[in-house]
């Protein structure tokens, strides 16, 4: 019984973005990921996508460190193993410190494989219930372009728009943009660009009309985040700070935030992410699924995650055509009236095309 992992494949995919993605941390013009595939005896293939960046500007891992760890450390631990449940992958990797993004790619592929063996869509296999996932787009551009990009997103049917901010962004400009679209939900993402010296500046964003402000301070700044959570009316949401279940416990105990961004890649895959979801549920902490400028394999896993009860804010889910001329999955992900319909096909629900 169970599944025996017969073959594991690693394929690098590299494509330019249609438009540069500009945040306070980095400008991204091109994306390289590793698509991981795992095959069992019956010929089913499960897919995962490693979404570390080229350099360590967002997380410590890089696509090169992940390729090394996958090839030389994780693949040998998984290959030939007989598994009864995909949770066992996390245990197999127990002796390997950190490297959660590398682990996630492989672990997620095994979850897809199990869903396929059980002839179930992945979203059902993990306990998802919602079939129409609310979409959400990110405006990562210079201040001068924000208004125009928001108008484009609104025209494309998005109902949730996340705007990248930093201490030099003008809150009054943002306020007039937000006020122009009373039916849309706006998030702000500061990517840790504020600090104790410009705390008062952060407060100026409090009455812009954002539903939440994501990661105002650095990833270990629990005290500053607790101060912001206490002093601002706008909800504080942690992204970079949340890299494990223990980080969520820390957030709860230190009252350092109201909302958690789920990034399965940074957490190490489905097993750890499902633990985070359960912990947040127990403490009535809201959640949403964050994006990584990723291709469709990672997106498909994330859509399944967003299907779970109590993942209650719209995530970073834009259409395949937002970042890419051509995605690596078929059919492409489309946004219709602000929603993405989940597939009824087994596993991640899309076919994967690894041609260049
Ligand atoms: O901070 O949420 C972030 C993209 C790359 C790295 C970090 C972040 C992002 C995003 C999501 O903002 C973009 C997306 O994939 O939709
Ligand atoms: Mg973020």
């Amino acid at each position: 019984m169970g599944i025996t992992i017969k073959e594991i494949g690693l394929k690098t995919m590299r494509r330019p973005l249609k438009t540069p993605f500009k945040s306070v941390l980095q400008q991204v013009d091109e994306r390289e990921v590793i698509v991981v595939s795992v095959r069992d005896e019956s010929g089913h293939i499960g897919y995962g996508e490693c979404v570390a960046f080229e350099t360590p500007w967002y997380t410590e891992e890089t696509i090169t460190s992940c390729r090394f760890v996958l090839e030389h450390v994780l693949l040998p631990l998984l290959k030939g193993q007989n598994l009864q449940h995909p949770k066992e992958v996390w245990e197999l990797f127990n002796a390997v410190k950190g490297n959660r993004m590398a682990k996630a790619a492989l672990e997620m592929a095994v979850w897809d494989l199990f869903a396929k063996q059980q002839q179930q869509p992945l979203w059902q296999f993990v306990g998802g219930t919602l079939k129409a996932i609310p979409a959400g787009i990110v405006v990562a551009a210079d201040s001068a372009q924000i208004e125009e990009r928001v108008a484009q997103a609104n025209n494309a049917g998005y109902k949730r728009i996340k705007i990248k901010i930093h201490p030099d962004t003008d809150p009054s400009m943002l306020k007039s943009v937000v006020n122009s679209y009373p039916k849309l939900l706006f998030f702000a993402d500061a990517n840790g660009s504020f600090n104790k010296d410009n705390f008062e500046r952060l407060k100026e964003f409090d009455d812009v009309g954002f539903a939440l402000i994501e990661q105002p301070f650095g990833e270990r700044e629990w005290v500053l985040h607790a101060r912001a959570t206490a002093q601002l009316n706008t909800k504080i949401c942690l992204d970079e700070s949340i890299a494990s279940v223990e980080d969520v416990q820390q957030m709860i105990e230190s009252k350092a935030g109201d909302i958690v961004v789920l990034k399965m890649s940074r957490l190490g895959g489905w097993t750890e992410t499902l633990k985070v979801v359960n912990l947040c549920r127990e403490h009535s902490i809201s959640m949403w699924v964050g994006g990584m400028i990723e291709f469709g394999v990672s997106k498909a896993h994330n859509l399944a995650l967003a299907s779970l009860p109590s993942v209650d804010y719209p995530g970073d889910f834009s259409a395949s055509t937002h970042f890419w001329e051509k995605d690596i999955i078929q059919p492409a992900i489309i946004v219709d009236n602000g929603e993405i319909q989940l597939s009824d096909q087994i596993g991640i629900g899309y076919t994967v095309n690894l041609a260049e």
Side-chain angles (χ1 to χ4, degrees), residues 46-350:
Y47 292 98
E49 180 179 328
C50 183
V51 295
F53 291 100
E54 268 181 66
T55 59
W57 61 267
Y58 185 61
T59 61
E60 289 178 11
E61 292 174 84
T62 66
I63 202 68
T64 306
S65 75
C66 287
R67 190 177 291 111
F68 174 82
V69 171
L70 278 162
E71 209 173 307
H72 298 285
V73 183
L74 302 175
L75 259 61
L77 288 174
L78 184 65
K79 198 159 176 199
Q81 291 285 348
N82 178 261
L83 306 170
Q84 304 304 312
H85 193 277
K87 280 182 193 157
E88 293 167 23
V89 177
W90 187 249
E91 290 156 34
L92 278 177
F93 295 165
N94 192 30
V96 181
K97 308 262 189 233
N99 291 284
R100 287 177 180 239
M101 299 181 90
K103 290 177 180 172
L106 200 45
E107 198 251 17
M108 288 159 77
V110 174
W111 278 80
D112 179 28
L113 185 60
F114 267 84
K116 283 170 174 158
Q117 186 227 31
Q118 309 262 309
Q119 301 287 316
Q120 272 192 322
L122 180 62
W123 61 270
Q124 271 175 13
F125 183 70
V126 296
T129 51
L130 191 67
K131 268 210 77 179
I133 305 300
I137 201 165
V138 183
V139 170
D142 297 329
S143 283
Q145 290 177 316
I146 289 177
E147 233 178 301
E148 178 195 338
R149 296 288 181 84
V150 169
Q152 286 168 355
N154 178 54
N155 289 336
Y158 288 95
K159 311 244 185 288
R160 188 227 78 168
I161 300 177
K162 173 169 122 179
I163 301 175
K164 294 284 190 183
I165 64 162
H166 51 82
D168 295 328
T169 315
D170 175 12
S172 62
M173 178 272 289
L174 291 176
K175 196 168 178 176
S176 93
V177 172
V178 169
N179 284 340
S180 311
Y181 301 94
K183 288 189 184 141
L184 300 189
L185 190 64
F186 285 92
F187 295 178
D189 187 359
N191 283 116
S193 57
F194 289 80
N195 57 47
K196 67 174 178 350
D197 298 325
N198 56 28
F199 191 91
E200 293 305 310
R201 176 69 174 166
L202 177 68
K203 284 186 174 170
E204 293 175 37
F205 292 82
D206 203 13
D207 67 350
V208 167
F210 289 121
L212 58 87
I213 299 176
E214 188 183 337
Q215 199 73 35
F217 307 109
E219 54 189 72
R220 313 311 296 164
E221 299 279 15
W222 303 107
V223 174
L224 282 177
H225 281 122
R227 200 186 295 166
T229 302
Q231 292 188 21
L232 273 73
N233 293 316
T234 312
K235 290 195 162 76
I236 299 297
C237 170
L238 296 186
D239 178 19
E240 283 91 324
S241 295
I242 306 299
S244 66
V245 175
E246 292 77 13
D247 290 333
V248 179
Q249 267 154 355
Q250 172 76 256
M251 181 191 106
I252 293 167
E253 273 163 39
S254 55
K255 297 184 166 50
D258 307 291
I259 303 173
V260 161
V261 180
L262 301 169
K263 284 203 177 157
M264 257 198 281
S265 54
R266 188 177 46 222
L267 286 167
W270 275 104
T271 305
E272 184 85 344
T273 303
L274 293 173
K275 286 184 197 157
V276 167
V277 168
N278 284 334
L279 182 62
C280 288
R281 262 187 209 146
E282 281 167 29
H283 292 268
S284 305
I285 304 272
S286 287
M287 294 168 265
W288 53 277
V289 179
M292 286 291 283
I293 322 178
E294 71 258 76
F295 293 103
V297 169
S298 177
K299 220 39 136 189
H301 280 276
N302 280 333
L303 283 165
L305 177 61
S307 175
L308 294 179
S310 66
V311 177
D312 49 3
Y313 278 78
D316 291 333
F317 291 115
S318 47
S320 291
T321 52
H322 175 59
F323 290 127
W324 320 115
E325 282 303 337
K326 195 166 173 285
D327 205 334
I328 62 172
I329 54 160
Q330 276 156 341
I333 290 168
I334 52 171
V335 171
D336 184 20
N337 194 28
E339 289 177 338
I340 298 167
Q341 299 298 325
L342 290 185
S343 169
D344 284 320
Q345 305 288 311
I346 61 171
I348 58 171
Y350 298 85

